[in-house]
Amino acid sequence: MNRLSICRPLCSLTVGVLLGIASPFAHADHWTTPTPEELSMTSQPEVPGAAAVYLDREEITIDEFHMFSTYVRLKVLTEKGKEYANVELGYASSEDGGSVSVDDIEGRTIHSDGTIIPFTGKPYSKLIEKGRGTKYMAKVFTLPDVQVGSIIEYRYKRHLDDNYFMAPRWYIQSDLFTRKAHYEWKPTDKTLVTDNGHGKLTNTISWTPILPPDTKLDSKRMPDGRLVFDLDVHNIPPTPEEDYMPPIASLSYRVLFYYSPYRTGEEFWKDEGKSWSKTHDKFIGPGSAVKAAVQSLTAPSDTPDQKLRKLYAAVMQLENTDYTRERTKAEVKADGQKQIHSTDDVWNNKRGSRDQISDLFVAMARAAGMKAYVMAVTNRDRNLFLPMYLSLSQLDDDIAIVNIDGKDMFFDPGSRYCPYGHLEWKHSSASGLRQVDGGTAIATAPPESFKTSHVDRIADLKMDEQGEVTGIVRMSYTGSPALHWRHAFLTGDLTSLKRDLRTSVEKELPSGVTVELTSLSDPADYEKPLEVRFSIKGQIGSSTGKRLLIPADLFEVNTKPAFPHDKRTVAVYFDYPSMSQDVVRIIFPAAWTLESKPSNISVPLQTYAVYDMSAASTPNSIIIRRDYALGNYIFLPKEYSDLRSFYSKMETKDQESIVLKTAAPAAPQTVPAAN
């Protein structure tokens, strides 16, 4: 959050709330006459099969008028592209000022024969989200009679309140190919003063550029002395869209502007970090209620680890409103509780948000006499932390750090059911801002070992003479896989959890198998693996005369190739390192004999991954064992070929078959006919 205000005259300038919705804005003075090539085009060579293409975008910000203006020309190339006729323009309305309005909406549709259909409808307002004194709204409208081959053209303006300013954000790259775009910003020449408790004067403009090669952001002084920023781009590819992609939303082409009183990034993080830390310490305390709770929960003879385990277990029992819901002021009052202003309130109310609960754990650790710190991270399922982007808004969640015997240990009490001493995967290896003695520092949370996230799948089956099996399947989830199901339990209920677990196993096993969940360990017992037991029945193989072909690993029979393409433009990004172990045991009747089984194999991927499969048999049974371990979660494009080769070998082996053969039926005896 960053709040700025004008110094001459003194007025408020809110940036923090608005930055979240500050997509670039633009302006156009007139409609553009389409060229014959634009009217007749049916595709864009750089993006075969694209639904639509931006012919032109223009985004202009004029601080003097508190205005952002946008002009868009888009060519519809397929039926799917017709969806771009539905336009939704977001804006925010804040209770403390700094609201945005959207107006001057105009549009038209141009058919491929040049026919023009103007937009004469009236946009309507739609509530997107409401919370913390801000309404997030949208103006929604649909352009008329859009067909494949049409050109969609529209423009609109966003206005701020008269005394408010906001630096623009230019998002150059989108989901569509952009032929050309123009961006321009005319900043205010007024001196600004921060309104975030610092009261610093500033007329400095900073920016974070991520631009294509050979693309330059220009800044120039006009004859009247005013500064103007200007950017032209051409032939911008759409943002990549591949499986197993890193959160590159933060790395797409863009320019992020902001007014800043700071001369360097180091100065920003030091000063803003100090304020951030002070705010957290004020909330943390610890107060009298937290101190009393720590005394009652721990014993003087406890080691630091024993104390922390008891405190962690206590905060894990609180209601985490990120997985349920926040109470309204009226509900809190009716329950005889207080609004939360400190960790004492969190403890007394027995509920809080994930950040509040994490901060409570820090407060308790401090009350127990330990050094404890808050760290705010950028969740790596959503974004990557960019130190060069000078904004605290990129930080998502709080985690806790406690120093024990000179070593920092990381905890995630705000992630309900996350085991002691571990982090939810989106917080592991995530960077952000942390408290240190005497200040703050940019830091990275530690990674989780591949041994932490573990899935065991065991099938113990018996086959009859018709090839149908009955038996049990046992699933065991540890670490991130267990946390996934436990969070599903929190946001749903026990019935929905059981249903979803059964459905997930049904999707893994052959289609001819019926699955029934027979037992489930306590989902709230987060320090233990989540254990599930199923009974299954049905056909698992396919018959070819005297032979029955059974998938080697029943749990991988429906798996699709992970990397079907031979080239990759972006890094491969798995959620987390992990390992899985499968054991499939099939007992077959005497009428069947084992004709062939998969050979044993071990496939390494340098030191990053390993895959093993082995088969062992007796005269009436076979056991398949499959082990897979992934020790790294990100692979660069230059490593893709080796990764793809590894997966191809693994997937090919997974699809091999066990072949059972039945004895040939005895030939019928011939009885001589009676004379």
Side-chain angles (χ1 to χ4, degrees):
M1 287 278 182
N2 188 25
R3 295 170 60 88
L4 303 175
S5 59
I6 306 169
C7 184
R8 298 188 305 269
L10 184 62
C11 304
S12 294
L13 165 70
T14 301
V15 171
V17 171
L18 303 176
L19 280 179
I21 52 87
S23 56
F25 308 108
H27 172 71
D29 293 326
H30 54 79
W31 297 120
T32 300
T33 302
T35 66
E37 184 271 337
E38 289 174 339
L39 290 172
S40 62
M41 69 178 289
T42 58
S43 64
Q44 184 72 32
E46 293 87 345
V47 281
V53 168
Y54 282 120
L55 301 175
D56 193 7
R57 287 183 62 89
E58 188 173 58
E59 303 182 1
I60 296 178
T61 305
I62 304 177
D63 278 2
E64 181 181 1
F65 303 137
H66 309 276
M67 182 195 74
F68 306 85
S69 182
T70 300
Y71 176 48
V72 174
R73 297 179 66 238
L74 181 146
K75 177 74 175 186
V76 176
L77 299 175
T78 69
E79 284 291 327
K80 183 174 177 58
K82 291 163 63 175
E83 296 175 2
Y84 288 93
N86 303 312
V87 183
E88 192 169 293
L89 310 174
Y91 62 99
S93 176
S94 176
E95 292 179 358
D96 62 353
S99 296
V100 178
S101 62
V102 176
D103 50 32
D104 294 343
I105 296 173
E106 298 180 272
R108 64 179 188 170
T109 302
I110 306 175
H111 289 170
S112 55
D113 62 1
T115 303
I116 299 174
I117 304 96
F119 169 66
T120 58
K122 184 178 180 181
Y124 68 92
S125 297
K126 173 183 175 183
L127 177 64
I128 304 297
E129 185 180 355
K130 181 180 179 181
R132 298 187 179 182
T134 301
K135 291 182 181 179
Y136 297 93
M137 308 287 294
K139 283 288 181 72
V140 181
F141 62 95
T142 300
L143 292 164
D145 196 26
V146 173
Q147 305 171 3
V148 175
S150 295
I151 292 175
I152 294 171
E153 197 170 14
Y154 61 90
R155 59 191 179 199
Y156 60 93
K157 295 177 183 176
R158 282 189 175 97
H159 283 98
L160 296 176
D161 291 349
D162 286 346
N163 293 324
Y164 283 73
F165 294 86
M166 179 172 61
R169 290 179 171 185
W170 296 342
Y171 292 96
I172 312 302
Q173 204 168 15
S174 70
D175 60 332
L176 297 180
F177 184 89
T178 301
R179 284 190 166 191
K180 65 175 182 177
H182 172 69
Y183 303 86
E184 188 175 300
W185 178 30
K186 298 178 181 178
T188 180
D189 61 352
K190 299 179 182 293
T191 300
L192 307 177
V193 59
T194 59
D195 189 26
N196 57 3
H198 294 217
K200 289 189 174 183
L201 296 176
T202 177
N203 55 5
T204 300
I205 295 171
S206 300
W207 59 91
T208 301
I210 303 176
L211 291 172
D214 303 322
T215 301
K216 182 182 178 183
L217 172 66
D218 291 324
S219 61
K220 58 188 176 183
R221 290 284 177 182
M222 303 300 289
D224 61 3
R226 293 197 175 192
L227 183 66
V228 175
F229 290 92
D230 189 85
L231 176 67
D232 286 292
V233 296
H234 300 273
N235 298 325
I236 301 299
T239 51
E241 187 174 346
E242 300 184 62
D243 292 333
Y244 302 102
M245 271 182 40
I248 62 170
S250 58
L251 299 178
S252 60
Y253 296 143
R254 61 187 59 194
V255 180
L256 307 177
F257 290 101
Y258 29 86
Y259 292 108
S260 174
Y262 305 104
R263 294 167 295 178
T264 65
E266 182 181 359
E267 184 181 329
F268 169 86
W269 289 110
K270 180 180 179 181
D271 197 67
E272 291 296 320
K274 182 179 179 181
S275 177
W276 167 85
S277 181
K278 183 178 179 180
T279 299
H280 274 79
D281 285 341
K282 182 179 179 181
F283 180 80
I284 289 169
S288 58
V290 169
K291 292 177 180 177
V294 170
Q295 279 193 325
S296 67
L297 291 167
T298 62
S301 59
D302 288 341
T303 65
D305 182 70
Q306 289 172 331
K307 288 180 180 179
L308 280 180
R309 287 183 181 275
K310 291 177 179 179
L311 300 177
Y312 192 86
V315 300
M316 197 58 69
Q317 298 304 312
L318 304 183
E319 179 188 346
N320 190 317
T321 57
D322 278 52
Y323 302 100
T324 53
R325 66 179 179 86
E326 288 190 66
R327 264 55 172 182
T328 64
K329 292 181 181 179
E331 288 176 314
V332 171
K333 185 176 180 180
D335 289 342
Q337 298 178 335
K338 296 180 179 180
Q339 289 291 317
I340 293 177
H341 300 293
S342 68
T343 54
D344 272 7
D345 297 331
V346 179
W347 179 254
N348 289 331
N349 288 356
K350 303 303 179 189
R351 68 166 65 100
S353 69
R354 66 185 308 148
D355 286 349
Q356 291 167 344
I357 289 175
S358 186
D359 292 354
L360 171 62
F361 180 68
V362 171
M364 287 183 152
R366 291 179 181 178
M370 304 178 207
K371 285 187 175 182
Y373 313 92
V374 177
M375 180 175 179
V377 297
T378 299
N379 293 348
R380 63 178 184 84
D381 64 336
R382 183 189 69 86
N383 253 329
L384 300 174
F385 178 73
L386 299 178
M388 63 181 178
Y389 176 34
L390 307 184
S391 174
L392 296 178
S393 65
Q394 61 181 309
L395 301 175
D396 294 307
D397 293 339
D398 288 353
I399 59 176
I401 306 171
V402 183
N403 189 279
I404 302 177
D405 298 327
K407 181 182 178 181
D408 282 345
M409 289 187 62
F410 288 73
F411 301 88
D412 208 344
S415 294
R416 186 76 185 275
Y417 296 150
C418 186
Y420 175 88
H422 291 280
L423 299 174
E424 186 175 356
W425 76 262
K426 64 183 180 181
H427 299 153
S428 66
S429 300
S431 298
L433 187 67
R434 64 158 291 178
Q435 294 177 322
V436 295
D437 292 338
T440 59
I442 292 173
T444 300
E448 291 274 319
S449 167
F450 72 94
K451 297 178 182 179
T452 299
S453 295
H454 196 280
V455 176
D456 290 337
R457 304 181 292 190
I458 301 172
D460 200 348
L461 310 174
K462 186 174 183 179
M463 178 183 292
D464 63 17
E465 294 186 358
Q466 285 70 46
E468 184 173 276
V469 299
T470 56
I472 62 170
V473 166
R474 296 191 298 273
M475 308 289 289
S476 177
Y477 304 95
T478 305
S480 293
L483 194 57
H484 164 79
W485 289 116
R486 288 184 165 120
H487 285 175
F489 167 62
L490 282 171
T491 55
D493 56 23
L494 190 59
T495 299
S496 64
L497 175 63
K498 289 181 176 180
R499 181 193 64 233
D500 293 343
L501 283 165
R502 175 178 53 79
T503 300
S504 72
V505 172
E506 285 176 339
K507 290 180 178 178
E508 292 178 347
L509 295 174
S511 58
V513 172
T514 59
V515 179
E516 180 183 354
L517 191 151
T518 56
S519 68
L520 171 65
S521 62
D522 182 4
D525 194 357
Y526 58 90
E527 294 292 359
K528 294 181 180 178
L530 184 68
E531 306 278 358
V532 198
R533 185 184 177 104
F534 303 89
S535 65
I536 73 168
K537 181 178 181 180
Q539 293 285 344
I540 60 171
S542 57
S543 177
T544 58
K546 297 179 181 179
R547 290 175 174 81
L548 184 66
L549 276 63
I550 301 171
D553 188 342
L554 298 180
F555 298 108
E556 293 293 322
V557 65
N558 297 317
T559 301
K560 305 298 182 184
F563 304 108
H565 305 298
D566 58 357
K567 294 183 180 180
R568 181 88 178 192
T569 59
V570 297
V572 174
Y573 187 88
F574 298 97
D575 289 345
Y576 48 84
S578 63
M579 64 183 300
S580 64
Q581 293 181 296
D582 296 347
V583 179
V584 178
R585 177 173 178 257
I586 303 172
I587 299 175
F588 45 85
W592 294 92
T593 58
L594 179 66
E595 182 174 274
S596 66
K597 61 185 179 183
S599 59
N600 297 350
I601 192 174
S602 180
V603 182
L605 176 59
Q606 301 179 38
T607 60
Y608 304 131
V610 65
Y611 165 81
D612 293 301
M613 176 179 277
S614 63
S617 61
T618 69
N620 73 328
S621 70
I622 185 168
I623 297 178
I624 299 292
R625 299 181 185 275
R626 177 188 187 271
D627 296 335
Y628 164 68
L630 177 70
N632 191 24
Y633 69 90
I634 187 164
F635 294 84
L636 301 178
K638 65 181 181 180
E639 301 170 309
Y640 176 69
S641 178
D642 289 343
L643 178 69
R644 183 172 183 262
S645 176
F646 170 80
Y647 264 81
S648 177
K649 292 175 184 177
M650 179 173 66
E651 291 161 350
T652 299
K653 193 68 179 178
D654 285 342
Q655 298 305 315
E656 288 188 359
S657 297
I658 301 165
V659 181
L660 298 180
K661 184 178 180 180
T662 185
Q669 295 183 352
T670 302
V671 179
N675 292 329

